[in-house]
Amino acid sequence: SKFCLRVAKSMKGITIILAAYNEQSLITATVEAVLEGLECSGLDPEILVIDDCSRDGTSEFCAAASELSDSIKYIRNDVNQGFGGVYWKGISLATKEYCMIIPGDNPVGASGLKRMFTEVGRADIISPYVTNREVRNFGRRIVSRAYTGILNAIMGRSLKYYCGWVIHRTENVRHLPTITASFAFQAEVLCEVLRRGASILEVGVELQEYAGRKSTAFRPKNVLGVWSTLVRLAIRRVRGRDGWPRALAPAPRSLDS
């Protein structure tokens, strides 16, 4: 049966880009979690389920999941574009005021999404941060903390997280200059939108981990993309180009979970 999302005409709209690559065992549950998170949020959703040229049965599951709600559109890439490529394709197709991307394995679940959706409109950026880092292995926690620290040092900020499932105003993202499509695209987008004066609200969410989940963060291609982005951001900051701030920016507002 289809989910029925009650929406008033005056409510804010959000485009949710759902990136799926070889996620046949998880994509249906992820779509259901997104729909559950949207219930009672008052948001007018547009859900773009983008299959990034999967090699398993993901396309069939995506097509079936698109029948769960009239707000879902199924799109399949003929060539694999990567997570960043899917994001930019979704942004080009987005028709709603706000936008975000969620991976096909949805690491925050319906409760985390609901918490974020509730805050839409309170700031230009709704940025999640993980409150239960202990569910990740020690090495991943160290790398994540170091990455956040380096970005804060480069940007003169004090954010809790740069790699979350951020909600932006669509127009703030759509008109950005060329941004990487690498694994680090989310951090670069966040830095650039903040540089242009956007307000931000950080929201604490719990990460849900499960057996068999494998991170792609440490693949050579992704590591190279991250480091090249860090170097590019550092050069811009040192040169003081395009108005990048040299002084420490005001601390963002935060909501603890």
Side-chain angles (χ1 to χ4, degrees):
S1 61
K2 289 192 175 183
F3 282 74
C4 182
L5 303 176
R6 297 181 180 180
V7 177
K9 290 184 178 179
S10 60
M11 292 301 176
K12 303 175 185 66
I14 185 169
T15 296
I16 300 169
I17 305 161
L18 221 169
Y21 178 66
N22 294 344
E23 300 284 6
Q24 65 175 11
S25 63
L26 297 168
I27 191 62
T28 301
T30 295
V31 172
E32 291 176 345
V34 170
L35 292 172
E36 183 180 341
L38 285 165
E39 287 181 341
C40 301
S41 69
L43 295 174
D44 177 17
E46 170 186 56
I47 304 171
L48 305 179
V49 180
I50 302 180
D51 173 19
D52 196 22
C53 196
S54 296
R55 294 174 295 178
D56 60 2
T58 296
S59 58
E60 289 77 10
F61 281 87
C62 285
S66 67
E67 298 298 321
L68 292 174
S69 172
D70 292 333
S71 63
I72 300 174
K73 300 177 182 178
Y74 168 56
I75 302 161
R76 177 175 169 80
N77 288 337
D78 294 328
V79 178
N80 182 271
Q81 298 180 16
F83 195 51
V86 169
Y87 180 73
W88 292 115
K89 179 169 185 174
I91 293 299
S92 71
L93 298 172
T95 65
K96 303 298 183 180
E97 180 182 359
Y98 292 88
C99 63
M100 74 182 302
I101 187 169
I102 300 173
D105 59 357
N106 183 23
V108 295
S111 61
L113 293 174
K114 188 182 294 288
R115 185 168 173 78
M116 292 182 64
F117 293 151
T118 300
E119 306 302 332
V120 170
R122 292 189 60 190
D124 299 316
I125 303 168
I126 306 299
S127 182
Y129 63 91
V130 177
T131 59
N132 59 333
R133 296 183 180 182
E134 66 278 1
V135 300
R136 285 177 166 169
N137 64 58
F138 180 73
R140 180 73 184 278
R141 295 200 303 271
I142 293 297
V143 171
S144 178
R145 189 179 295 273
Y147 182 58
T148 300
I150 292 171
L151 280 167
N152 277 330
I154 291 173
M155 301 307 302
R157 295 191 177 271
S158 56
L159 301 188
K160 293 182 172 69
Y161 204 55
Y162 281 87
C163 293
W165 314 272
V166 181
I167 298 175
H168 288 281
R169 289 186 181 273
T170 304
E171 291 307 305
N172 286 350
V173 176
R174 180 173 283 151
H175 297 302
L176 289 178
T178 302
I179 299 281
T180 179
S182 75
F183 195 76
F185 79 92
Q186 296 173 94
E188 190 167 3
V189 168
L190 185 55
C191 290
E192 180 65 24
V193 174
L194 285 170
R195 181 189 73 79
R196 293 173 177 232
S199 59
I200 183 171
L201 175 64
E202 294 188 288
V203 178
V205 298
E206 288 193 356
L207 195 68
Q208 58 178 19
E209 290 284 4
Y210 48 85
R213 184 180 178 200
K214 297 180 180 180
S215 173
T216 61
F218 299 113
R219 291 179 179 174
K221 179 180 178 181
N222 292 335
V223 172
L224 179 61
V226 166
W227 279 109
S228 63
T229 298
L230 290 175
V231 170
R232 184 165 55 252
L233 292 174
I235 291 173
R236 289 177 184 170
R237 178 69 189 282
V238 169
R239 291 179 176 175
R241 291 176 56 188
D242 303 325
W244 283 61
R246 290 182 180 276
L248 183 66
R253 292 181 294 151
S254 297
L255 292 179
D256 294 325
S257 62

